[in-house]
Amino acid sequence: MERPRVGELAPPDRLLMGPGPSEVHPRVLRAMSTPLVGHLDPSFIDVMDDVQDLLRYAFQTENQWTIPVSGTGSASMEAAIGNLTEPGDTVLVPGNGYFGERMAAMVTRAGGDPVFVEAPWGEPLDPVAVEDAFTEYRPDLFAFVHAETSTGAKQPNVPELTAIAHDHDALVIADTVTSLGGVELRVDEWGIDVAYAGPQKCLSCPPGASPLTLNDRAMAKICTRDTPVRSWYLDLSLLQEYWGDERAYHHTAPITNVYALREALRLVAEEGIENRWERHRRMAGALKAGVEAMGLELNPEDDWWLPSLNAVRLPEGVDDDAVIAFLLEEYGIEVAGGLGDLAGDVLRIGCMGHSARPGNVLTLVAALGDALE
Ligand code: PLP
């Protein structure tokens, strides 16, 4: 066989203003070039402790069970859904975006029965509809998406939704992939039992180690399951041996990703979580004002506008693919088009983490103006 001749890696210079990944902070990139130690090295155990403490701060939780799951956001998602869903469980999932459908697919694979609470794509769930769905289906679990990346809609009134679920004795799983570290999120105060996230959005960290937190009620359900979790890799009762007190081998942790997450979370703690939420609101607010000044509108109403992901309605007759290609080719800016019910109608512009800075917003607004001329 001939030896392949592959050139040195030279990715193009991009400004990442899409639905993720976002720009990675230079300090995080530096952390990733730090030499490896073993995943059971005493110094790495300290790193694990740091990451767990920092994650609790970002999630605003006291949950003991707060860890990075090895893998992308879908791994922490499947860890949450797959561990909490037992065969025969009914799980209420949202019908207002792309990621509710992924939740349903994971529920089915875990042997559960997904049922939907419907709302139009781009709108949040209505607590009345959630209450009605509880009466109709009596679900064991309720999962919702706090920040729907596919539509740019934020789920408001979270405490109201969790109260409904708890009144019906169900546990609550929140998808916080596009909110953790960028949009107000208070896991304990809001009564969320389980939350999962991804590092590549508002934490501005490469994908690979994905945050997950569970309270004692959720862990009790997992530890008293009648049947083992279908995935060995994501079985939290086994992962407990590594991330719990024993620190015993389960699998080789992605050490470099854990270093990266630690540095990204240190940046969150240095900035202060409330300040960080405020910065995202301010930067995305400038972006919103800029596109509105061009005569464009955001798809979601202000009450459920999601600062980290701005779904901008395109004028009639404008081809989204052409705008996306123009921004990439002429300005090196990455944005994305709509999905599902919003395909072809909106541009999805991220304002996340290290990308959420004044110069980036100005560049994006100017480039979009040029694209639409
Ligand atoms: N949930 C939401 C809301 C997301 O936006 C994403 C990714 O964009 C995921 C889950 C899945 O994460 P990943 O693509 O990192 O596996």
Side-chain angles (χ1 to χ4, degrees):
M1 190 193 274
E2 232 182 273
R3 260 189 309 147
R5 294 187 189 282
V6 177
E8 204 178 320
L9 183 67
D13 199 9
R14 297 285 192 236
L15 174 54
L16 299 176
M17 299 293 281
S22 59
E23 302 272 283
V24 175
H25 195 286
R27 267 175 50 187
V28 174
L29 289 176
R30 272 205 301 279
M32 294 188 79
S33 57
T34 305
L36 293 200
V37 294
H39 58 289
L40 294 171
D41 188 294
S43 72
F44 193 67
I45 305 289
D46 291 342
V47 168
M48 292 165 71
D49 288 341
D50 293 343
V51 170
Q52 290 186 281
D53 278 348
L54 289 161
L55 272 179
R56 287 186 192 103
Y57 174 68
F59 273 124
Q60 295 284 286
T61 183
E62 301 288 336
N63 289 344
Q64 179 63 25
W65 252 92
T66 304
I67 63 166
V69 175
S70 304
T72 70
S74 301
S76 61
M77 183 176 189
E78 196 145 28
I81 292 173
N83 278 267
L84 283 156
T85 306
E86 286 202 70
D89 276 356
T90 301
V91 185
L92 184 62
V93 299
N96 62 343
Y98 180 88
F99 290 100
E101 289 173 11
R102 186 173 297 185
M103 285 172 163
M106 289 179 176
V107 167
T108 305
R109 283 175 188 239
D113 299 314
V115 289
F116 285 88
V117 47
E118 296 295 347
W121 277 49
E123 291 185 22
L125 302 179
D126 180 347
V128 175
V130 173
E131 178 75 63
D132 289 349
F134 264 96
T135 309
E136 186 177 351
Y137 302 117
R138 302 182 175 284
D140 304 280
L141 293 169
F142 167 51
F144 73 95
V145 180
H146 181 221
E148 192 27 279
T149 327
S150 67
T151 65
K154 181 180 74 174
Q155 180 63 50
N157 39 51
V158 173
E160 216 179 317
L161 300 187
T162 58
I164 295 169
H166 292 154
D167 283 349
H168 291 267
D169 255 349
L171 288 166
V172 178
I173 301 176
D175 180 317
T176 64
V177 170
T178 294
S179 55
L180 181 69
V183 178
E184 183 178 12
L185 169 67
R186 300 180 188 275
V187 165
D188 288 359
E189 198 181 314
W190 291 357
I192 295 168
D193 299 296
V194 180
Y196 62 83
Q200 75 274 23
K201 313 270 184 177
C202 301
L203 297 179
S204 274
C205 184
S210 299
L212 173 68
T213 186
L214 304 95
N215 65 16
D216 289 346
R217 263 182 84 207
M219 274 316 277
K221 177 165 165 47
I222 292 168
C223 293
T224 54
R225 286 174 60 107
D226 291 334
T227 53
V229 176
R230 290 190 176 176
S231 162
W232 178 88
Y233 190 63
L234 297 174
D235 183 340
L236 292 172
S237 67
L238 300 179
L239 277 169
Q240 190 159 232
E241 287 160 26
Y242 185 51
W243 285 99
D245 292 338
E246 284 174 64
R247 300 299 195 207
Y249 171 70
H250 174 266
H251 66 266
T252 310
I255 294 150
T256 304
N257 292 86
V258 177
Y259 285 169
L261 187 58
R262 180 180 182 278
E263 194 60 21
L265 290 166
R266 244 160 55 83
L267 285 160
V268 174
E270 280 172 26
E271 185 171 2
I273 192 78
E274 277 97 356
N275 295 335
R276 199 170 168 101
W277 297 335
E278 172 53 27
R279 172 167 61 84
H280 279 77
R281 250 196 323 270
R282 217 165 354 103
M283 291 303 111
L287 194 154
K288 182 169 180 285
V291 297
E292 284 173 354
M294 273 185 243
L296 302 175
E297 278 179 8
L298 258 65
N299 189 57
E301 310 242 329
D302 285 352
D303 286 350
W304 55 83
W305 165 56
L306 175 62
S308 48
L309 196 286
N310 298 272
V312 178
R313 276 207 161 272
L314 283 167
E316 202 65 32
V318 171
D319 174 8
D320 60 338
D321 285 341
V323 175
I324 293 165
F326 180 87
L327 291 175
L328 194 70
E329 283 156 23
E330 299 299 321
Y331 289 91
I333 299 177
E334 180 181 283
V335 299
L339 293 175
D341 289 3
L342 297 178
D345 294 342
V346 297
L347 277 187
R348 291 182 303 139
I349 304 177
C351 194
M352 303 176 182
H354 191 53
S355 292
R357 283 179 289 149
N360 292 346
V361 170
L362 282 175
T363 306
L364 182 277
V365 171
L368 184 59
D370 189 19
L372 294 175
E373 238 175 38

